[in-house]
Amino acid sequence: MDLKLEMIVLPVSDVDRAKAFYEKVGFRLDVDYTASDDFRAVHFTPPGSECAIIFGEGMTNIPPGSFQGLYLIVSDIDEAHGELADRGIPVSEVFHDEGGLLHHGHEGGKCVHDDEGQRRITGLHPERASYGSYLTFSDPDGNGWVLQEVKTRLAGR
């Protein structure tokens, strides 16, 4: 049985502000549907992704900004950093994790686990290993995104 993650309901406080932000990031607007004063659905898909986000009025009771660690995969992290910065998106520096290939958390662009071997180090992964370099940004509500560079996928991916 295939189970494909298709959509994530994102909690936002201001639908129009979130819509403008995700347009600026470069996500594709698929739907902006208003059924009533209490229900509006705005659906975006990141370029190249099969999974989308949806937000709006009457979509969720989760507090805005609650989602952290939403991963987007890119083939060139430096290029992605430049493109997002050029679009006016406040992005973190490119970084890697001291312990290897796993970024240990996200909170407003900060690494939340700072135990031995888990520090966030500025710059690309020293070997430019797939899954090893990151950057972060947050939407206006504080929902946190992580971009991860993958040049060669692991087997089965």
Side-chain angles (χ1 to χ4, degrees):
M1 168 175 58
D2 284 345
L3 297 171
K4 297 182 179 184
L5 182 60
E6 193 74 21
M7 190 173 306
I8 296 169
V9 178
L10 201 62
V12 302
S13 62
D14 182 318
V15 177
D16 289 321
R17 180 180 69 173
K19 179 181 176 186
F21 177 81
Y22 286 104
E23 286 175 328
K24 191 174 184 181
V25 171
F27 286 23
R28 181 187 72 228
L29 177 63
D30 298 315
V31 173
D32 185 346
Y33 172 75
T34 301
S36 68
D37 289 341
D38 298 328
F39 185 83
R40 178 179 176 194
V42 180
H43 177 256
F44 277 98
T45 303
S49 180
E50 293 185 29
C51 185
I53 61 169
I54 192 167
F55 53 84
E57 298 293 335
M59 297 292 300
T60 182
N61 61 2
I62 297 170
S66 295
F67 281 29
Q68 300 298 316
L70 296 160
Y71 275 67
L72 296 168
I73 303 304
V74 297
S75 60
D76 187 315
I77 198 86
D78 284 330
E79 183 179 305
H81 184 277
E83 188 170 325
L84 289 170
D86 288 349
R87 291 172 182 245
I89 305 301
V91 292
S92 73
E93 75 285 351
V94 173
F95 65 93
H96 64 281
D97 190 83
E98 178 184 45
L101 300 178
L102 183 60
H103 170 49
H104 296 279
H106 179 282
E107 183 179 290
K110 303 292 184 213
C111 188
V112 297
H113 298 102
D114 203 13
D115 297 332
E116 185 175 337
Q118 295 183 335
R119 285 187 309 115
R120 181 171 156 162
I121 308 293
T122 299
L124 294 165
H125 185 276
E127 290 134 26
R128 196 82 187 251
S130 280
Y131 303 95
S133 298
Y134 308 87
L135 68 80
T136 60
F137 70 88
S138 296
D139 74 10
D141 285 296
N143 293 303
W145 293 86
V146 178
L147 268 65
Q148 181 180 38
E149 183 178 77
V150 177
K151 296 203 173 273
T152 304
R153 289 208 166 265
L154 295 172
R157 302 272 312 158

